[in-house]
Amino acid sequence: MNGFAELIVSLLVLFVLGYFNFPLTFVYSHFIHLIVASVLFSFVFSVWLYFKSFQAPTYNINPEATTGYQYYDFFVGREVHPRIGKMFDIKLFVLNAGMISWAVVDVCLVFKSFMDKGCVNYPLALTAVFQLIYIINYLWHAEYFLSSTTIQYEGVGYQLIIVFFTLTPFFYCIPVLYLVNYRQYVSNYCIFGIAALYSLGLYIYTQSNREKYMFRRNAHDRSLINLESIPSLNGKRLLISGWWGFVRHPNKLGDIIIFVAWTLPCGFENIFPYLPAFFVIMYLVYQVLKSERKCEIRHGAAWIRYTSCVQSRIFPQVF
């Protein structure tokens, strides 16, 4: 279930299909059909998981999905870590499939541009490479993200499945799709500036997630010796220095910078390619507010002390 290995194999299969003249432009010409098929598959898959959850052990049931309202429980997911047998982790499969599908769609869209124009222009190449690096980074450092509270405690329901089976591959690729249809000119200075902004976002995103992962695994690790933290009544500690002392959710800040950066090559003539960035900003703000309500309950007075030390949630001095 190594996501990075799955990505490499998937891209190699795609290359072989292209070599034998398989019509990779199929993804572009049937984009809407694939979205509809993905939505329908996500629904059927979620229904199966919902009924499967009634045979799951009690400890694996999502506390938020025991409301008795079937539609809500179906949406948020009743089972936290559904499996087939002992080895096949369905949640991990959904996450990997979504990210790899996104890479495959991007490659097919770039191939479509190459077939039509005989080359790939710089803005399109830049955006596609940025997205591919992001996907590789996610799969290579999977342990950083899989240890997050969201992944560890949220159920696998229609909400999670539609995000990774439909939203991730077919919505986040919109900047690439836009540049396939509308060629843009970006000066060399702008390319370097955009690349620098993207690199900054990726650095903040990766390093803050790494710092959190290392601290959770072993708070006394020698690489974390200079970080300050405060104890919580539940036995955990809250970081008040490093990236998590800069803002409360630095990984979200990095994510937002990344999504904005790879959309900038699209220019400012149309709002359409910026839709994923706007959505991500709103979604992450919602996730932050939801997470902080839970943290206040979980950590009590320690959380109040932490928020007085680290006052900004995502954007320093703004929010």
Side-chain angles (χ1 to χ4, degrees), residues 159-300:
Q159 173 184 237
L160 181 74
I161 292 169
I162 198 72
V163 164
F164 279 92
F165 279 180
T166 304
L167 193 71
T168 298
F170 297 109
F171 184 62
Y172 291 163
C173 72
I174 282 178
V176 175
L177 179 64
Y178 179 82
L179 289 169
V180 170
N181 293 301
Y182 302 97
R183 186 166 183 167
Q184 300 292 314
Y185 171 77
V186 180
S187 69
N188 291 335
Y189 295 109
C190 288
I191 288 177
F192 286 123
I194 292 169
L197 182 65
Y198 174 82
S199 300
L200 174 64
L202 188 66
Y203 181 78
I204 294 173
Y205 177 71
T206 305
Q207 290 303 312
S208 58
N209 277 309
R210 177 188 178 278
E211 192 174 79
K212 179 178 67 174
Y213 170 75
M214 296 294 291
F215 188 78
R216 279 179 172 172
R217 192 176 68 169
N218 180 13
H220 303 290
D221 189 281
R222 298 186 68 178
S223 64
L224 308 174
I225 196 169
N226 294 323
L227 296 181
E228 298 179 26
S229 61
I230 56 177
S232 172
L233 292 176
N234 61 5
K236 301 291 181 65
R237 300 189 69 86
L238 302 175
L239 281 171
I240 57 172
S241 64
W243 287 111
W244 298 86
F246 176 57
V247 290
R248 295 180 213 162
H249 306 273
N251 53 346
K252 305 291 193 295
L253 172 62
D255 228 355
I256 290 171
I257 293 173
I258 288 169
F259 270 78
V260 170
W262 70 39
T263 313
L264 290 176
C266 298
F268 302 100
E269 297 176 0
N270 198 313
I271 197 174
F272 179 68
Y274 287 88
L275 292 179
F278 292 146
F279 170 80
V280 164
I281 292 171
M282 291 187 294
Y283 177 73
L284 291 180
V285 168
Y286 163 76
Q287 284 280 39
V288 163
L289 296 176
K290 178 183 175 182
S291 171
E292 292 204 348
R293 285 194 296 269
K294 292 182 178 179
C295 286
E296 187 174 359
I297 296 171
R298 189 180 302 126
H299 300 292

Side-chain angles (χ1 to χ4, degrees), residues 110-121 183:
V110 171
F111 182 79
K112 160 68 176 175
S113 178
F114 179 78
M115 292 298 293
D116 287 349
K117 301 166 186 173
C119 64
V120 178
N121 62 74
R183 186 166 183 167

Side-chain angles (χ1 to χ4, degrees), residues 9-22 24:
V9 171
S10 299
L11 294 179
L12 286 175
V13 169
L14 204 62
F15 175 78
V16 171
L17 290 173
Y19 180 78
F20 287 104
N21 297 319
F22 183 86
L24 298 183

